[in-house]
């Protein structure tokens, strides 16, 4: 009887069931048969576009993205004005190198946004996914359209993921732009001392951005699961951010080193690998595997919850 | 319970209502709080019916509707909608069902039109090429075309309600499940909704409509069901229900003078075949003294008697007759009688 069954069933199960049970010859019967609900090609794409339009068209979300994009720009301007080597060696490891090579603005900006701003934006998008619809009462109308609960959940998850990707991409693009304009690009001198050509340098920056984005997928899944539990989106967003923060705190306690490898945020800063001559792909692989595990676990929980929950909002 | 359609189809053979668009058996919902919101109801909405689903606040109407739409999983019992078991068949059956549940709800910052567009995009079986035309037609049908470009957040309550109805009409429907469709509408809007329901029914759709504005339902429904404290107290054809089970619910209303009340009662009791000693219970007396002439009305059920027998019998018994007429018991009378007069919600 569960929705899980219904949602997992292939499209063939969508044949109208009334024809076998309706008694007597019926005029309406003919029209019912011709209106047998068949899933249209490209329907999921239309749903996804609609969801993306909703997420990206929302004023609040646009403001968040603008805020994020302003981080590298402001940082670049400040550093350009206060180009004082008195700060050398202070702040994040790459900050004193920006003056010499604008490429470092990308790493520095992502480094600054990773602990809080990016998780915040991710939590807002993921937490809003289902809880926002439940809180507004629109969930009951979406489901009676009807749409399979699993289909809606996947569309919502992809929309939240996309929003997170857009956020990371915006930070990266703004940093490249501001870094190039303010400081110019140059061949990249790695942390280990070697210098690589500019094109390789840009590729490595894109690698950093890609890794940061992949590192946030676990948080999207956590937010999505929380979102299926409650009807107050703000509470869900807050709870999701708290997960990221608590994870960071736990990761900093040496007494808990046994659980560190499993913490959501444990590998978040491994993107620095891209700045070494010999990139440790196995370390990056561990980070991605960890995120995949969190996505699998919390994605399943969200699925199990959402496909069976009573919608009383 | 007899559905005329079924009777015709089966040529007098008694049926178990095989042609119901909604049928539930022992449908029960116990919430985790322990509250039994719906308690073993056997709902039956015949094809083509306009079914008025009545009940005081908190009696379980919305919870029942949520189970019919697959939003809430029944604790026990089963619900068939258009022949499909809910919630399992939701995706197969619901494209043919238009629904309004507990008031409209849309994205506040999207326009009315964009909101409908979004709902259509969610529908995996909708044709995107006809989307624009269908949305336009639905808006037109509920008289919302002029406000289609306004953000939903700027809509008045009635406009929101209309948009909800437009969403229910985005596709041709075989069944409409409308929970309080006239909530918040002005008298004009209420009339239009009533008109719309009639129109939909004429087009062949069946309608399940809940409301506590009984007068509204009274005017459109062919069948009623009355809920109270999670139980379905009574259901059936409207006229059968209002007459308390007898086929004819017709009552006779006589206007006479106060002195003649007892005489009138005796005559009416004799005609209706009621024991004269209980005549005072069989007929109700109401003051109709608007002109200071001491007029009262006596209302009684006719039973098997014919209306044409009433006047001669009264005259023969020397009862003064100032006026004579008939009256159907209103749904409200039945409703209050069944669910009690108290204003407080039951639980
Ligand atoms: N999610 C829930 N959890 C617990 N109890 C609930 C829940 N939803 C409804 N109830 C209870 O179930 C009962 C029936 O509620 P329901 O909303 O079905 O009534 P209703 O007939 O639609 O009332 P109204 O006419 O006021 O809309 C009420 O007592 C209500 O408190
Ligand atoms: Mg209700």
């Amino acid at each position: 009887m569960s929705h899980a069954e219904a949602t997992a069933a292939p499209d063939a199960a969508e044949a109208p069931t009334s024809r076998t049970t309706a008694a007597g010859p019926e005029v309406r019967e003919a029209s019912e048969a011709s209106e047998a609900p068949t899933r249209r090609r490209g329907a999921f794409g239309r749903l996804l576009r609609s969801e993306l339009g909703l997420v990206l068209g929302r004023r609040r979300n646009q403001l968040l993205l603008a805020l994020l994009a302003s981080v590298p720009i402001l940082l670049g301007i400040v550093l350009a004005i206060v180009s004082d080597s008195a700060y050398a060696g202070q702040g994040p490891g790459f900050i004193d190198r920006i003056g010499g090579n604008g490429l470092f603005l990308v790493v520095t900006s992502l480094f600054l946004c990773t602990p809080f701003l990016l998780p915040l934006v991710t939590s807002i998008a993921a937490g809003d996914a289902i809880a926002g619809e439940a809180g507004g009462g629109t969930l009951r109308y979406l489901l009676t359209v009807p749409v399979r609960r699993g289909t809606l959940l996947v569309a919502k998850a992809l929309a939240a993921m996309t929003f997170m990707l857009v956020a990371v991409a915006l930070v990266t693009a703004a940093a490249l732009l501001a870094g190039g304009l303010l400081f110019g690009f140059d061949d990249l001198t790695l942390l280990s001392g070697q210098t690589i050509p500019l094109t390789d340098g840009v590729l490595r920056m894109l690698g950093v951005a890609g890794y940061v984005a992949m590192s946030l997928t676990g948080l999207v899944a956590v937010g999505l699961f929380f979102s299926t539990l409650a009807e107050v989106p703000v509470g869900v967003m807050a709870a999701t951010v708290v997960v990221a923060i608590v994870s960071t705190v736990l990761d900093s306690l040496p007494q808990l080193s046994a659980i560190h490898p499993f913490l959501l945020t444990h590998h978040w800063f491994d993107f620095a690998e891209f700045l070494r001559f010999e990139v440790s792909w196995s370390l990056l692989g561990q980070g991605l595997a960890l995120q995949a595990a969190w996505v699998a676990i919390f994605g399943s929980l969200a699925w199990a919850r959402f496909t069976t929950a009573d919608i009383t909002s | 319970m007899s559905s005329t359609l079924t009777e015709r189809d089966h040529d007098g053979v008694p049926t178990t209502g095989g042609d119901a668009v909604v049928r539930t058996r022992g449908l029960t919902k116990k919430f985790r709080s322990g509250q039994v919101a719906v308690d073993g109801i056997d709902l039956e909405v015949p094809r083509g019916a306009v079914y008025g689903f009545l009940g005081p606040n908190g009696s379980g109407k919305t919870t029942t509707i949520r189970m019919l739409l697959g939003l809430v999983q029944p604790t026990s019992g089963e619900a068939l909608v258009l022949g499909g078991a809910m919630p399992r068949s939701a995706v197969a059956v619901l494209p043919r069902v238009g629904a309004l549940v507990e008031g409209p709800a849309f994205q506040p910052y999207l326009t009315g039109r964009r909101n409908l567009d979004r709902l259509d995009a969610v529908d995996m079986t909708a044709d995107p090429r006809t989307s624009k035309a269908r949305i336009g037609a639905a808006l037109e049908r509920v008289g919302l075309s002029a406000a289609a470009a306004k953000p939903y957040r700027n809509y008045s309550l009635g406009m929101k309600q209309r948009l909800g109805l437009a969403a229910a009409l985005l596709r041709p429907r075989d069944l409409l499940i409308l929970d309080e469709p006239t909530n918040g509408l002005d008298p004009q809007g209420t009339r239009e909704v009533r008109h719309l329901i009639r129109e939909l029914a004429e087009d062949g759709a069946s309608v399940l409509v809940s409301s506590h504005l009984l007068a509204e339902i009274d005017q459109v429904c062919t069948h009623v069901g009355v809920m109270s404290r999670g139980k379905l107290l009574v259901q059936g054809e409207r006229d059968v229900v209002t007459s308390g089970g007898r086929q004819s619910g017709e009552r006779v209303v006589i206007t006479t003078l106060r002195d003649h009340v007892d005489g009138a009662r005796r005559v009416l009791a004799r005609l209706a075949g009621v024991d004269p000693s209980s005549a005072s219970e069989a007929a109700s007396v109401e003051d109709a003294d608007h002109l200071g002439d001491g007029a009262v009305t006596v209302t009684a059920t006719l039973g098997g008697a014919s209306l044409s027998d009433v006047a001669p019998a009264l005259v023969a018994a020397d009862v003064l007759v100032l006026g004579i007429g008939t009256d159907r018991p209103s749904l409200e009378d039945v409703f209050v009688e069944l669910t009690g007069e108290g204003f407080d919600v039951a639980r």
Side-chain angles (χ1 to χ4, degrees), chain A residues 156-212:
Chain A
K156 285 287 185 187
L158 290 177
M161 288 281 181
T162 307
F163 187 72
M164 178 270 286
L165 286 176
V166 168
V168 175
L170 261 180
V171 174
T172 310
L176 278 174
L177 193 75
L181 289 178
L182 293 170
F183 310 105
F185 293 143
D186 203 350
D187 291 351
L188 188 66
T189 308
L190 297 171
L191 296 180
S192 41
Q194 296 90 336
T195 299
I196 56 169
L198 178 58
T199 45
D200 284 3
V202 172
L203 280 180
R204 282 177 180 244
M205 289 306 142
L206 295 182
V208 171
Y211 183 82
V212 168

Side-chain angles (χ1 to χ4, degrees), chain A residues 312, chain B residues 31-38 55-64 66 102 179-180 210 212 227 345 347:
Chain A
T312 55
Chain B
F31 282 109
R32 259 184 304 180
S33 60
Q35 166 104 57
V36 183
V38 177
N57 291 134
S59 53
K61 304 183 296 294
T62 301
T63 306
T64 304
R66 281 180 189 276
E102 224 166 24
D179 193 12
E180 317 265 358
S210 93
H212 19 230
M227 293 276 294
V345 295
R347 28 178 201 169

